[in-house]
Amino acid sequence: MNRHTLAILVHNRFGVLNRVTSMFRRRRFNIESLTVSETETAAYSRITVVFDGDDGSKEQLIHQLYKLPDVVMVRELDREATVSCELLLIKLANVAGEPRNDILDAAGAFEAKIMEYSRDAIILRLVGDTQLIDNFIDLMRDYEILESCRTGVISLSRGKSTMRDDIA
Amino acid sequence: MLLQGSEIVVRTLIEQGVEVVFGFPGATVIDIYDALLAHKEEIHHVLVAHEQGAAHAADGFARATGKPGVCLATSGPGSTNLVTGIAASFMDSTPLVIITGNVATTQIGTDSFQEIDITGVTLPITKHNYFVEDVAELADTMCEAFVLACSGRPGPVLVDIAKDVQQAVGEFEPRPAVVVEEPSLWDVSQLEAAAACINACHRPLVYFGGGIVAASAEDEVLELAERVDAPLACSLMGLSAVPTAHPRFLGMEGMHGRYAATMAMKNADCIIALGCRFNDRSTGDRERFGAAVHIVHVDIDGSEISKTTSDDFGLVGDVRLVLAALMPLLEQADHRGWRELVAKLRADEASQTDTRGGLTPRSALIAADATRPRGSVVVTDVGQHQMWAAQYLSFDRPRSFVTNGGLGAMGFGLPAAIGASLASGMRTLLVVGDGGFGMSLHEMATAVSVEAPITILLMNNGTLGMVRQWQTLFYEKRHAATTLTGYRRTNYVALARAFGADGMRVDTLEALQKALDAAAHVTGPYLIDCAIDADELVLPMMAPAGALDDIIVRAEDVR
């Protein structure tokens, strides 16, 4: 089992995300994270998928993706040649009278930004790779996490090339 | 020119060369039916009894011709009734264009009367689907649907059209029939390695599936088998692609395949697999399948390579083109030892032949086969009779065997036979069991309406035979819910007469021959209620998840 990151360029149409995720579900692909967003052109949306599997299941996933008429391009993103990150928002309980310096120190060490600091809650924002965010959440478990969410990975390959270059 | 949406739908069908549409009207397709009425000289509409029959009939038409089948249904229950038929087409990769009406765009999403999200429902069982909510996109979408249904690996494509889109007026430019994507080679980077593997092997087997029929690659397959000196075996979907009587042809392999074909698969050292997908019914236990064999797998769909088996080499592209590229790299082979082994397997198979006299599944099918016109189509339903038909019938041209392999949908037979008989214009033999016939017998009404020339060989064993066989073999003969004799009291000949057809009950081979002769002189459908013993088994049988040589050959081995 290896972790793979795929970028998928799809037609920017109603229901395309549903088509892609429906295929993942029925073929039982083990998806770790999935993000979707608009791109530099209105014609395409970009889906970034991180999943765990052997090379065979990666090949299978790519082939199955290309069978969907709305999928324009699939590219496997190699960790070394890719800039990747994700975004975390985490809300911690703030208790009046207790010093919170340890939380703020950790936030400082991770370069997390304080988005809210109120009488009863602290919201932190952290941008980084998956490991960094995992580590930060782990550290925050010493305190009371009220809720958290993260975006999943987004990635771009390094250098000038784009996925659109590969569209014949 | 400006045309109403419903008129655009029908004009695009005419442009695509569609001659027959199978359907059933309803509130959200009245406009399309109105346009069909105006064009009734150009398009023959066949009114079915149930929408599932429309999908199966269109599918039967497509399988018999290779042209896209077209069916039409209204929103809500009309569209959900299509689902089994769409899935049957999807699993066997047949070109189907399904048109459904839906409620007006202003009502979509409000759970209005007979509103169903049919594009959502059919997402996993269509090659692609569309919801048309703007008349400006209607003609293009219809054309795209035909291109997709017929290009590459064929499949069903559904176009769901809101009622107000059918009523709106839009610009329409007449255009020629859409051009299906040119066959192409997608990935043949392993061509030379595959050729080297084939050249180095000693016991090659050419194994093919329905992809050969879709690509019309029958001649290339035979040429390949001659070049590499290999026997030929096929999956259920490959049947009829190669003449059954061809000296290299061993028949269908797999769970109920012919002995020599399955054993050749077991003994081969290189399987050249063409347009097939190594379904579990073909391979048996995958851990034990192909471990000692090289597999060269050719398919137009790259996802089939190594999907279920460990393929050594995958060649992706139109199988005709791949074989054309492969042939120059292959040496003329002469595998004498292998030919002798295969000949021995054939002799073993011949010695196992069921030679009982009287009316047996084999004798009934051989009689029916001898009576049918040359080049005519055989359609089956799903179950024991389907496997007997696959084992005992003889085919002389591609597309002359229509059967539902992947989904295994009982009820497929009768409506598919209606479609296939209208497509071929020849008397069509439908082989069906009493269980499956019960699932779509209402389409007798349709068969009579259009005088579909079908000889219905109802192999009536008074049981749901295939399940009963499993119960007999693997559930200590606990025949739960599979015995129909004494439970149902259906008189099938009277039933045929009630629908306006005729038929005969037979329980001897002589009576069957008389009935077959009578059927040959009827214009429309004719039903032969043929008595079959409830304890007949389909043999050989590879145990579910068993290995290829783990085969029950004789009935005596069971009891």
Side-chain angles (χ1 to χ4, degrees), chain B residues 260-344:
Chain B
T262 306
M263 291 307 289
M265 188 84 122
K266 173 72 185 172
N267 284 285
D269 65 351
C270 178
I271 297 170
I272 308 167
L274 310 170
C276 62
R277 56 187 177 82
F278 287 115
N279 175 268
D280 52 287
R281 288 294 189 265
S282 300
T283 60
D285 178 11
R286 275 160 187 154
E287 295 298 313
R288 285 182 281 171
F289 176 84
V293 64
H294 293 294
I295 300 175
V296 175
H297 195 167
V298 181
D299 204 280
I300 197 162
D301 180 351
S303 72
E304 292 301 343
I305 309 298
S306 293
K307 185 179 80 175
T308 64
T309 47
S310 304
D311 299 341
D312 297 77
F313 305 100
L315 306 175
V316 184
D318 178 83
V319 66
R320 272 180 79 170
L321 298 184
V322 173
L323 290 183
L326 185 62
M327 283 297 282
L329 306 178
L330 297 178
E331 295 155 10
Q332 180 58 51
D334 181 8
H335 301 301
R336 187 169 162 208
W338 178 224
R339 284 201 306 273
E340 286 169 0
L341 178 60
V342 171
K344 182 176 178 309

Side-chain angles (χ1 to χ4, degrees), chain B residues 31-47:
Chain B
D31 291 277
I32 296 175
Y33 270 89
D34 209 31
L36 276 173
L37 185 65
H39 290 280
K40 66 178 194 295
E41 301 304 323
E42 294 142 284
I43 293 187
H44 177 204
H45 175 263
V46 176
L47 175 65

Side-chain angles (χ1 to χ4, degrees), chain B residues 23-78:
Chain B
F24 197 97
T28 62
V29 286
I30 297 182
D31 291 277
I32 296 175
Y33 270 89
D34 209 31
L36 276 173
L37 185 65
H39 290 280
K40 66 178 194 295
E41 301 304 323
E42 294 142 284
I43 293 187
H44 177 204
H45 175 263
V46 176
L47 175 65
V48 295
H50 182 286
E51 289 88 350
Q52 182 181 341
H56 286 323
D59 193 3
F61 181 95
R63 290 172 197 246
T65 58
K67 295 182 201 163
V70 179
C71 60
L72 171 62
T74 193
S75 62

